[in-house]
Amino acid sequence: MKHISILVPKGAVLGSVEGPRQVLSEVNKLLRSMGRPTLFEVQLVGLTKEVSVAGGIYKVFTDVCAADVRKTDLIIIPALDGDMVQNLEHNQEFIPWIRKQHMAGAEVASLCVGAFLLASTGLVTGKQCATHWMAANDFRKMFPEVNLVEDKIITDEQGIYSSGGAFSYLNLILYLIEKYAGREVAVFMSKAFQIEIERKSQSPFMIFKGQKEHEDDQIKKAQEYIEQNFQEKISVEQLASMLALSRRNLERRFKKATANSIVEYIQRVKIEAAKMSLETSRENVNEVMYNVGYSDPKAFRSTFKRITGLSPVQYRSKYNLEAVA
């Protein structure tokens, strides 16, 4: 029997508390129907017996207070809603409890922006961690010592797990079900809850807006120049000369400020423009390619798929507002 502690922090997103509870409870029902013993003892764990969630719209009555949980096998940290600094202040009493349970052998999984609370424990320092792509810039700023992986929806490092954004947390729950209960049970749950079991990336859903929440004005000028002239061929030397910086200094400062190399940033700006064109226009793929400054179809398609996880044709088919084939 695995003891699962689903935390109920103040300000939790209700769905990411109830969703895992429901799916894990259904696993027990399935196992009973198969003549097998139940596997999970699921408890909602709070700092108090009653917790306000979803901006105060709902109240959740927990099964047990954290202080009364002697030992658990898996801690699930749900997503949090609103200001993350305030959320962490309101829930800081969870941090030593999570650390203590982890030292005693508990695994820990964060869902979506629950990664902020996970990172606050120090358990992912120097490790990979995923979160919602919309929160990536804030996460990097608050936890520069964590290796944030924007594109992944599941990370697993030595019993510390995290998920990508929004409902992709269900993919992590399926991953854990497969680990604990086996492939057959995980596949059944994927069908019952209509979750795409093999999805690994949130890249197709990401919208690149640039990382400008930094204080380096010269790097902001470089970013703005790239975004205004992405159709042209822009070199690192050109940007360095424009800003009167050495190439090495520019590249170091650009990476520090944006978490991208200059070449990566240029590619992401071009591909974001291509995505918008594929979503909203009737231009063919080659026309889109030329309009964003690519001349080599192979290079364009390769870069597009690496960044989005889809080919340009697949992306258009999936997201074009007029459903153009």
Side-chain angles (χ1 to χ4, degrees):
M1 180 74 76
K2 293 281 185 183
H3 185 277
I4 313 293
S5 296
I6 301 176
L7 301 192
V8 188
K10 296 175 184 175
V13 174
L14 183 59
S16 66
V17 173
E18 172 57 15
R21 189 207 65 79
Q22 185 179 13
V23 177
L24 294 171
S25 297
E26 288 298 319
V27 170
N28 283 340
K29 290 182 184 179
L30 174 64
L31 292 173
R32 283 195 295 270
S33 73
M34 297 167 69
R36 293 165 56 182
T38 57
L39 182 59
F40 301 125
E41 179 187 355
V42 183
Q43 287 190 316
L44 301 183
V45 179
L47 295 174
T48 57
K49 289 294 290 181
E50 183 179 311
V51 184
S52 177
V53 302
I57 299 175
Y58 302 103
K59 290 188 184 297
V60 173
F61 294 93
T62 60
D63 297 311
V64 64
C65 290
D68 298 322
V69 177
R70 295 182 61 187
K71 191 176 188 312
T72 191
D73 296 301
L74 173 67
I75 299 166
I76 296 177
I77 304 173
L80 300 164
D81 185 35
D83 183 88
M84 282 301 154
V85 174
Q86 289 185 4
N87 282 330
L88 297 181
E89 289 176 356
H90 294 159
N91 294 288
Q92 60 183 325
E93 291 178 50
F94 273 124
I95 294 172
W97 182 82
I98 294 169
R99 287 180 183 148
K100 180 181 177 181
Q101 291 292 337
H102 179 255
M103 287 181 65
E107 297 187 317
V108 186
S110 69
L111 311 182
C112 189
V113 291
F116 283 77
L117 183 53
L118 173 61
S120 296
T121 67
L123 295 179
V124 284
T125 297
K127 293 186 174 73
Q128 288 191 345
C129 187
T131 190
H132 199 299
W133 61 265
M134 292 179 69
N137 290 348
D138 288 338
F139 187 91
R140 283 197 188 93
K141 194 172 182 179
M142 291 178 68
F143 304 105
E145 70 283 0
V146 177
N147 179 16
L148 179 67
V149 283
E150 278 189 75
D151 60 321
K152 290 187 178 182
I153 59 171
I154 296 173
T155 67
D156 174 356
E157 286 205 38
Q158 301 171 325
I160 305 293
Y161 312 93
S162 62
S163 83
F167 295 108
S168 68
Y169 75 78
L170 289 169
N171 293 91
L172 176 56
I173 299 301
L174 282 183
Y175 178 87
L176 294 170
I177 290 170
E178 181 171 357
K179 178 176 179 178
Y180 296 140
R183 179 75 175 178
E184 180 185 4
V185 174
V187 168
F188 183 90
M189 287 299 120
S190 78
K191 293 178 178 179
F193 287 92
Q194 301 184 39
I195 307 164
E196 189 178 346
I197 191 169
E198 295 297 342
R199 191 160 73 87
K200 304 294 184 185
S201 174
Q202 60 182 342
S203 294
F205 304 97
M206 294 169 64
I207 300 172
F208 183 69
K209 296 183 177 180
Q211 299 98 335
K212 297 194 178 72
E213 296 177 4
H214 57 81
E215 306 302 322
D216 195 326
D217 290 336
Q218 283 186 295
I219 299 305
K220 285 181 182 177
K221 288 179 183 177
Q223 291 173 268
E224 289 165 1
Y225 184 85
I226 291 168
E227 290 162 12
Q228 292 166 9
N229 299 276
F230 64 85
Q231 301 95 335
E232 309 299 327
K233 187 174 182 179
I234 302 171
S235 69
V236 178
E237 290 80 4
Q238 176 186 353
L239 291 171
S241 176
M242 181 182 76
L243 297 170
L245 295 171
S246 70
R247 173 174 180 151
R248 183 176 179 180
N249 190 23
L250 173 61
E251 289 181 321
R252 178 184 60 80
R253 287 169 59 177
F254 199 99
K255 181 76 172 182
K256 180 180 179 182
T258 70
N260 286 282
S261 70
I262 295 170
V263 171
E264 289 169 341
Y265 197 90
I266 292 170
Q267 289 175 338
R268 293 188 69 178
V269 170
K270 286 177 179 289
I271 296 305
E272 193 60 37
K275 286 165 57 182
M276 291 301 297
S277 183
L278 291 168
E279 289 176 25
T280 60
S281 78
R282 290 181 174 271
E283 294 173 337
N284 63 43
V285 171
N286 282 342
E287 288 173 322
V288 171
M289 175 187 73
Y290 289 123
N291 288 343
V292 300
Y294 278 91
S295 57
D296 182 344
K298 184 177 179 180
F300 173 67
R301 286 173 170 80
S302 175
T303 303
F304 192 98
K305 187 160 188 176
R306 175 172 54 79
I307 291 175
T308 69
L310 300 171
S311 72
V313 171
Q314 288 172 326
Y315 189 90
R316 161 162 279 174
S317 177
K318 197 175 187 75
Y319 293 116
N320 187 270
L321 300 182
E322 297 181 12
V324 177

